[in-house]
Amino acid sequence: MKVYKFGGASVKDAEGITNLASIVSAEKENLVIVVSAFGKTTNALEKVLKAWLDGDERYKELLDDIYSYHLSVAEELFSSGNSEKSRIDTSFAKLEEYLVSSKRKNYDFEYDQVVSYGEIWSTIIVAGYLKERGMNAEWIDIRGNLITDDRFRDANILWNESMARIRSTFNFKETGIFVTQGFIGSTIAGQTTTLGREGSDYTAALLANMLDAEAAVVWKDVPGLLNADPKWLSDARKLEEISYREAVEITFSGAKIIHPKTIKPLQNKNIPLIVKSFLAPEEKGTVIKAETSIKHGLPVFIRKENQIMISILPKDFSFAMGENLSRIFYSFVNHGIKVNLVQASAVSINVCIDDERLRVASLIEDLKTEFDAVYNENVEMLSIRHYTPEAIERITSGREILLEQKTRNSVRYIVRGIASSLRDSQ
Ligand code: ASP
Ligand code: MG
């Protein structure tokens, strides 16, 4: 069997879902199809959540827009008697009821209860459409199967519990195609959790691992993994084949094409990951696997925007390394902050992290008795794998470099964000 993953861009409208159906019908193997929320629905649900948490009644209008969007897709796809439309209605009503009646709890918890609906709606429609086209498809609620801890908004998989359930559910005894949600899971107690933004790729990798898939295929709107984001460097080229190791390095550095957590479950079982275009399914895409025969020799450019660089200094001028190091990083983990780069000197540690204001504020509060923290907002992390002098010149020229870190294979720069340097010079 294979696992196919379709992201929001591939299922943003009825045409996308029709295209999905033709891709799926061309596959001979049994399939598990992991689907994200339609288009930008996750962002839209984040806005509903924010308004609701702020006590702003306009959340209802925002939710109505999301409803109309899903209904119009369903109407285009389904014949009039199809019962999936009423399933969508029931599910929206359930969310509305929750928002009207529940007492607001903490942000991360509510996030998962509300935002997870995007994947429920998208999969109901996709599974319903495949059935309507005569395929042997079944909708599965992944929340009864993918079990996590209760770290809401960034839940960790409970491996043994999940594996047993997943193997018994996705058994292909009577079904050829299972359609299920990416990004979401559930605690043992049945509370919905999410795995972090863009987490559907990770779900696909987990299912591929647990079901011993032959391959996992991530369908995108680009031809595969490129050596740069073409919106940034227009001459970006496709990488035919890369190793798991390379893939982890470049996705961790910020290549947005697949979620960095996706690689490990696949590497552990030696399952190839294929990234290819849903717009040109006959083309090969990029294959990610253990050993690669092709040496692409291209520098790979990665840009991670919206970063903050924090410099942390022990107040008593003690060395930054040693005990202080573990105290500082414990605090990062505790506040759910992921570190993208670390560089230490004798009495300071520089850390580059995603700009998550609330988390950063509580981290700094936590450290402030023992450490001074200075930070630069609006910076970018630029990385190059397999760098050359020309490649470095190309992306750093004219940029203000705040930090540089070089190893044999990679170089990283923290530079001031373009928006902020423009502002500064005005
Ligand atoms: N819908 C979720 C998001 O947009 C998960 C995903 O797309 O992978 O973050
Ligand atoms: Mg999405």
Side-chain angles (χ1 to χ4, degrees), residues 319-332:
F319 294 128
M321 306 297 253
E323 269 167 39
N324 281 324
L325 192 66
S326 62
R327 160 85 173 91
I328 292 168
F329 285 104
Y330 181 75
S331 187
F332 276 93

Side-chain angles (χ1 to χ4, degrees), residues 233-300:
L233 305 178
S234 56
D235 59 350
R237 284 167 53 194
K238 192 181 91 183
L239 307 169
E240 303 291 331
E241 247 185 50
I242 62 167
S243 65
Y244 293 125
R245 171 75 204 274
E246 279 294 292
V248 168
E249 293 289 351
I250 67 178
T251 54
F252 182 81
S253 300
K256 288 190 209 72
I257 194 96
I258 40 173
H259 194 287
K261 278 160 92 176
T262 313
I263 307 299
K264 181 176 185 287
L266 299 171
Q267 186 279 341
N268 289 174
K269 288 257 178 101
N270 209 3
I271 300 167
L273 171 62
I274 300 152
V275 180
K276 58 192 283 182
S277 167
F278 59 79
L279 301 166
E282 64 293 341
E283 281 169 24
K284 249 188 90 219
T286 301
V287 183
I288 301 165
K289 54 185 192 170
E291 301 288 335
T292 60
S293 45
I294 307 171
K295 286 260 168 296
H296 61 72
L298 294 172
V300 180

Side-chain angles (χ1 to χ4, degrees), residues 7-9 36-42 119 197-198 200:
S36 303
F38 287 173
K40 303 260 180 261
T41 300
T42 305
E119 269 68 13
R197 281 304 306 260
E198 307 303 328
S200 297

Side-chain angles (χ1 to χ4, degrees), residues 328-347:
I328 292 168
F329 285 104
Y330 181 75
S331 187
F332 276 93
V333 173
N334 231 0
H335 290 281
I337 298 177
K338 299 212 171 72
V339 173
N340 298 326
L341 171 146
V342 188
Q343 186 151 302
S345 77
V347 292

